[in-house]
Amino acid sequence: MSDVPFDPTRSDATSLSGEGGESQSNGSAGWLHRLRPGTASADRPGANLDDPSPSPVPPHPGVVPPAPRVHETDGAATHVYGDPEVVAHHIEQLILETRKRDLLEGVEQSRERLLDQPFVRDPHWDLVWEQIVNPVTGRPRQPILVIVAPRSCGSTTFALRLLAEHTADDTTVVQLDADWDTPRQGRLPLERAHAYQLDLKHPENDQVSADFLNALSKHASHLRDCRSYLALTVAQDLWKDHRLSDRHGIQVVHLHEPPDAQRVVEAHLTANGYDRLVTSLRSFSKATTSLRGLTA
């Protein structure tokens, strides 16, 4: 194709005479095929195979280049997905992420519902609670909390309640589903002002390793920047490696026993309007004996 724009006012005769017979008509309304400078065939005079490739043809003066892709921010932390060329407006924090399809999914929990549910803490739970919460800020001491407890101890309830009570009101509480073959930090979501809770209970798929905790330690700094938290509840039988311990940004605590079963039953009866049954339960020794030592 010729680099010279087609001029319908030029006659075919002029084109033929101007080329001196070196080009032939291509049969399309008398257009002539012209080679770009420096691209003549090797058997023609002036051809040089050592010449570099010709420079790209500059755009036509009348052509407007496409506008850059602009991402406008609202002043808060900005999550940019894709590949924008310009990020506009005032930016407090820029988080560049490549969203992965295999990120763990979760269900958003109602903070009000979590706080309204019956909840019982015995002295042992109170002690662990105090270890986690900074008394000055009222927030967890570390962005990542690992709660190791026997199965059916109530650790999930403990973690969700703690996040509901000791994170900011605008923080979204999300309970994640551990849909993986092995724990991997790369599958954990990261959003601003989120509190994630994740159970690690599967005997094969949820085995915790030192490498996983090392990766979590790096992840903790990103959570801190986003004012977010992650609470992992780990079955005690999965916490066997002596290398599993506190790391920078991670606090590990242990729940050794559940709260008193009778107090839990009484709390649920009272919350559902069955106060009279609480009195009957306490007077029925066979019932209280059967509750003793039960877990959730």
Side-chain angles (χ1 to χ4, degrees), residues 181-200:
D181 295 329
T182 185
R184 287 182 292 170
Q185 177 271 325
R187 295 198 58 187
L188 297 174
L190 175 63
E191 299 288 343
R192 184 178 176 87
H194 275 62
Y196 303 101
Q197 188 275 325
L198 177 62
D199 288 328
L200 299 182

Side-chain angles (χ1 to χ4, degrees), residues 38-196:
T39 61
S41 61
D43 58 348
R44 294 187 178 182
N48 187 352
L49 297 178
D50 295 330
D51 289 345
S53 300
S55 302
V57 179
H60 194 277
V63 177
V64 179
R69 294 181 295 275
V70 178
H71 179 87
E72 296 186 357
T73 74
D74 58 0
T78 302
H79 295 253
V80 178
Y81 309 115
D83 187 24
E85 297 176 353
V86 177
V87 180
H89 294 176
H90 175 69
I91 304 171
E92 294 180 3
Q93 182 180 4
L94 180 63
I95 304 173
L96 296 176
E97 292 186 13
T98 301
R99 303 300 295 174
K100 301 178 181 178
R101 292 185 178 180
D102 63 346
L103 285 180
L104 296 183
E105 297 181 352
V107 178
E108 183 176 333
Q109 302 293 309
S110 168
R111 183 184 299 270
E112 292 74 17
R113 185 182 64 82
L114 290 173
L115 296 176
D116 287 342
Q117 287 181 347
F119 183 66
V120 175
R121 284 177 12 207
D122 63 8
H124 169 58
W125 279 31
D126 285 337
L127 179 61
V128 175
W129 194 281
E130 293 173 0
Q131 293 175 359
I132 297 171
V133 179
N134 186 324
V136 177
T137 63
R139 301 285 184 259
R141 299 178 188 272
Q142 300 294 347
I144 296 181
L145 171 66
V146 178
I147 305 172
V148 184
R151 297 179 183 273
S152 301
C153 184
S155 58
T156 301
T157 301
F158 181 98
L160 288 172
R161 181 71 178 219
L162 186 140
L163 293 176
E165 286 193 26
H166 293 285
T167 58
D169 293 340
D170 62 346
T171 301
T172 303
V173 181
V174 179
Q175 188 171 21
L176 298 174
D177 180 20
D179 181 20
W180 52 24
D181 295 329
T182 185
R184 287 182 292 170
Q185 177 271 325
R187 295 198 58 187
L188 297 174
L190 175 63
E191 299 288 343
R192 184 178 176 87
H194 275 62
Y196 303 101

